Amino acid sequence: MDFNLAPDIEAYRIAVRAFVAEHIIPVESDRSAYDEHDNIGLDRLAELRAKVKAAGLWAPQMPKELGGLGFDQVGMAPAYEEMNRSIFGPVCFNCAAPDDGNMYILNRIGTPDQKQRWLQPIVDGSVRSAFVMTEPSPGSGSDPSMMLTRAEPVGNARWRVNGLKWFITGAEEATHFILMAKTSDDSRKGLTAFMFHKDQPGWRIVRRIPIMGPEEHGGHCEIEFENLEIDDRDRLMEVGDGLKLTQIRLGTARLTHCMRWLGLAKRSMEIAIEYAERREGFGVRLSDRETIQTMLGDLAYKIEIGRLLTMKAAWKLAAGDFARKEVSMAKIHVADTLHEAVDTAIQINGARGYSKDTPLEWIYRYARQARLVDGASEVHKMVLARFYQQERNDFWTWGV
Ligand SMILES: Cc1cc2nc3c(=O)[nH]c(=O)nc-3n(C[C@H](O)[C@H](O)[C@H](O)COP(=O)(O)OP(=O)(O)OC[C@H]3O[C@@H](n4cnc5c(N)ncnc54)[C@H](O)[C@@H]3O)c2cc1C
């Protein structure tokens, strides 16, 4: 068993770490750099993205022939962790959701024509994208088989889409959309995936949903389809392969959340230790108190468990496995660890932790979505229980 990183992955990780410290943390510390939704303003983002490209650090997860660096999930894990030392990090490297997952799936399953038209502009950073799946009740949420949005074939190799979606991240800024719609009542093969462009008629943003946390660029939107027409050449994979596409996309997309959240959890600890080492009370430095040390030790080992779960899942995904158990375990654990890390860091910082003088309150509000997005923790536990019911003690194995 070898836990070492390959030299090129380690070199990239170190370069990302230095870039975040030198260029991104100063922007994060400057409140004037924030937009009205608590994200980095688009002008400052454009400057940083240009610097990332000039430094040769852009899009590590994409193949070299498309303009990326060609790392697989094992290479992405340590790099994404470094990027999200800053709340603004991943988007500067073109490694933020949902573009990241959308690029991944288009690269995996797109035809050469689809890659050229739909994928390449996202890789280049000239457009943003969205993934359109979830519907308000009684439509599909945790259970995709409840989807109500329909795509029906019309003449001339075209499809017509009607329905309602919500919580579509980035919809107000996106140009390229991946849409999941129902094409038959078959429980396994009833969904199909399509691409559409923001300028196509037949859809509209009903509202940008107000949320508790800071927002991605383009917000989280409710969107309605009324006779959106899509050409059949913009169908992804075969008719009925929508669920399969979602599973391929979500395996890696969920895990990249874990990679990034580990970075935020580590940053929370960093802010906690920095304060604990300089703050004294009752004649004792906070960091010399056993209660505080127990808090820090607790977080340190939970973050390491998260890193191990994430790296094992990354390694399986890179080998072509769906890694469903591994991704679910990582997602549950890292989401909980992120909550605990930022909550503890706020506690150690006292009133300062509750202020906007550090990014802790930002991370705290953001963290609440981690147990919901890309599968609520309860759904991942249900998946694990199903595996356990089938496999019993063989649930835990090593490959040979
Ligand atoms: C910030 C944010 C961004 C998002 N971005 C996108 C996006 O870009 N595109 C997109 O399509 N969707 C997006 N979503 C939607 C997200 O994927 C769904 O919220 C998620 O799949 C859960 O679906 P739901 O909200 O309908 O919850 P429901 O299915 O209504 O479930 C509600 C709750 O019930 C419980 N529950 C559900 N099933 C089970 C079970 N089997 N066992 C036990 N308990 C269960 C869980 O506690 C769950 O939280 C986003 C959501 C958020 C919060």
Side-chain angles (χ1 to χ4, degrees):
M1 206 158 292
D2 185 354
F3 288 98
N4 291 312
L5 295 179
D8 59 335
I9 294 176
E10 176 62 357
Y12 182 73
R13 184 189 72 77
I14 291 169
V16 168
R17 168 181 270 198
F19 190 96
V20 169
E22 188 181 344
H23 299 290
I24 304 183
I25 298 283
V27 175
E28 181 199 277
S29 312
D30 173 7
R31 292 301 301 186
S32 73
Y34 289 60
D35 68 14
E36 66 273 30
H37 301 290
D38 262 352
N39 205 334
I40 182 173
L42 290 175
D43 50 344
R44 301 299 288 273
L45 176 62
E47 285 167 22
L48 283 172
R49 285 184 147 203
K51 282 186 187 164
V52 167
K53 283 181 179 170
L57 302 175
W58 181 253
Q61 76 284 45
M62 283 290 107
K64 289 183 179 161
E65 60 272 20
L66 296 180
L69 299 174
F71 287 123
D72 65 13
Q73 290 88 343
V74 171
M76 290 155 67
Y80 282 33
E81 196 180 302
E82 292 293 357
M83 286 172 197
N84 228 0
R85 176 168 176 242
S86 166
I87 56 178
F88 295 158
V91 71
C92 296
F93 295 85
N94 203 3
C95 295
D99 286 341
D100 187 51
N102 294 341
M103 289 190 286
Y104 173 77
I105 190 63
L106 289 172
N107 184 48
R108 273 286 296 269
I109 58 82
T111 63
D113 168 62
Q114 289 171 340
K115 285 188 192 180
Q116 194 249 317
R117 289 186 299 121
W118 295 111
L119 170 60
Q120 189 66 60
I122 314 175
V123 179
D124 296 342
S126 56
V127 303
R128 303 291 294 272
S129 64
F131 188 76
V132 186
M133 178 145 172
T134 305
E135 300 171 342
S137 178
S140 77
S142 303
D143 181 355
S145 72
M146 292 167 72
M147 191 164 293
L148 298 175
T149 299
R150 283 206 167 256
E152 284 169 332
V154 286
N156 270 346
R158 288 177 79 74
W159 297 83
R160 187 173 295 148
V161 180
N162 283 286
L164 187 65
K165 301 279 186 181
W166 83 335
F167 265 93
I168 306 311
T169 303
E172 257 187 11
E173 276 294 323
T175 303
H176 292 183
F177 291 77
I178 301 178
L179 166 70
M180 302 297 305
K182 192 165 183 166
T183 44
S184 85
D185 292 330
D186 188 309
S187 63
R188 295 293 306 166
K189 300 286 272 181
L191 304 184
T192 303
F194 302 90
M195 295 299 309
F196 74 92
H197 189 279
K198 78 167 174 16
D199 292 338
Q200 284 173 241
W203 77 282
R204 71 181 180 101
I205 293 179
V206 178
R207 63 182 177 129
R208 183 166 171 145
I209 302 166
I211 59 165
M212 73 182 276
E215 292 185 24
E216 315 298 330
H217 298 116
H220 304 284
C221 300
E222 183 169 334
I223 69 184
E224 185 180 43
F225 297 94
E226 203 180 334
N227 298 326
L228 168 73
E229 287 209 6
I230 296 179
D231 200 290
D232 193 53
R233 79 171 173 149
D234 295 328
R235 169 175 45 77
L236 299 172
M237 299 177 78
E238 298 301 323
V239 174
D241 277 347
L243 206 54
K244 192 169 155 193
L245 178 141
T246 304
Q247 277 170 357
I248 301 171
R249 180 186 182 278
L250 278 179
T252 292
R254 285 173 173 142
L255 201 67
T256 58
H257 275 317
C258 298
M259 299 168 187
R260 290 182 290 255
W261 294 340
L262 287 163
L264 287 178
K266 282 165 57 183
R267 178 74 184 286
S268 302
M269 276 197 83
E270 197 183 319
I271 298 169
I273 186 81
E274 180 268 321
Y275 185 76
E277 282 184 338
R278 67 181 161 83
R279 182 63 167 159
E280 281 197 17
F282 306 97
V284 179
R285 243 180 12 153
L286 279 183
S287 59
D288 291 333
R289 287 194 178 275
E290 203 172 329
T291 26
I292 301 294
Q293 289 171 358
T294 303
M295 286 175 174
L296 294 173
D298 242 6
L299 290 180
Y301 88 82
K302 285 174 184 166
I303 288 173
E304 183 62 3
I305 292 172
R307 297 177 79 237
L308 291 169
L309 287 170
T310 301
M311 193 51 115
K312 185 179 178 197
W315 172 74
K316 287 199 96 169
L317 284 170
D321 196 289
F322 274 108
R324 288 198 66 192
K325 283 192 311 199
E326 289 77 10
V327 170
S328 285
M329 286 189 276
K331 168 91 187 1
I332 297 163
H333 177 81
V334 176
D336 285 347
T337 301
L338 173 60
H339 276 82
E340 195 177 331
V342 69
D343 183 62
T344 304
I346 288 174
Q347 195 66 19
I348 291 175
N349 273 271
R352 178 176 183 255
Y354 196 65
S355 77
K356 287 185 188 275
D357 287 356
T358 80
L360 289 175
E361 65 81 34
W362 191 108
I363 299 171
Y364 187 81
R365 287 184 291 122
Y366 168 83
R368 190 60 189 86
Q369 63 165 285
R371 280 154 52 205
L372 300 169
V373 289
D374 286 359
S377 297
E378 293 77 13
V379 175
H380 287 291
K381 288 177 188 173
M382 176 189 78
V383 169
L384 293 176
R386 283 184 182 161
F387 273 106
Y388 178 68
Q389 279 164 344
Q390 270 175 13
E391 299 174 353
R392 301 296 165 107
N393 275 354
D394 288 337
F395 182 97
W396 302 276
T397 55
W398 301 112
V400 178

